């Protein structure tokens, strides 16, 4: 009788351990998925930052060219006055 009770307790413990192991595996899978998602988002963010930097550089080049053209126009119109 006592042996049967102990065996049932061991079976209950084994079932709980199996459940815990399954939960751990699920959490590990979720963790890997989240890490992958974070990596994707970081890559997207990096690309956006690079694109913004390129746009800022292009704007600066355009401003510089416009300033040079304005200066040349000033020189031309200033020389004619």
């Amino acid at each position: 009788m006592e042996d049967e009770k102990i065996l049932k307790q061991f079976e209950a413990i084994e079932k709980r351990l199996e459940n815990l192991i399954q939960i751990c595996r699920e959490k590990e899978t979720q963790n890997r998925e989240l890490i992958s998602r974070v990596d994707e988002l970081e890559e997207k963010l990096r690309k956006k930052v690079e694109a913004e930097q390129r746009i800022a550089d292009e704007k600066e080049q355009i401003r510089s060219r416009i300033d040079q053209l304005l200066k040349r126009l000033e020189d031309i119109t200033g020389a004619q006055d």
Side-chain angles (χ1 to χ4, degrees), residues 13-28:
I13 290 171
E14 284 178 349
K15 285 182 183 179
R16 288 182 182 169
L17 280 174
E18 288 173 6
N19 287 338
L20 285 173
I21 290 169
Q22 181 62 31
I23 289 170
C24 285
R25 287 181 181 145
E26 290 171 0
K27 296 299 178 188
E28 287 174 354

Side-chain angles (χ1 to χ4, degrees), residues 6-50:
I6 291 174
L7 287 175
K8 286 184 180 181
Q9 288 177 342
F10 272 116
E11 287 175 8
I13 290 171
E14 284 178 349
K15 285 182 183 179
R16 288 182 182 169
L17 280 174
E18 288 173 6
N19 287 338
L20 285 173
I21 290 169
Q22 181 62 31
I23 289 170
C24 285
R25 287 181 181 145
E26 290 171 0
K27 296 299 178 188
E28 287 174 354
T29 300
Q30 290 174 350
N31 193 34
R32 282 191 299 271
E33 290 171 356
L34 289 172
I35 288 170
S36 176
R37 181 70 177 138
V38 166
D39 290 343
E40 286 177 29
L41 291 173
E42 286 177 342
E43 179 65 16
K44 284 183 181 180
L45 179 61
R46 184 188 62 77
K47 287 180 180 179
K48 285 184 179 186
V49 168
E50 288 175 357

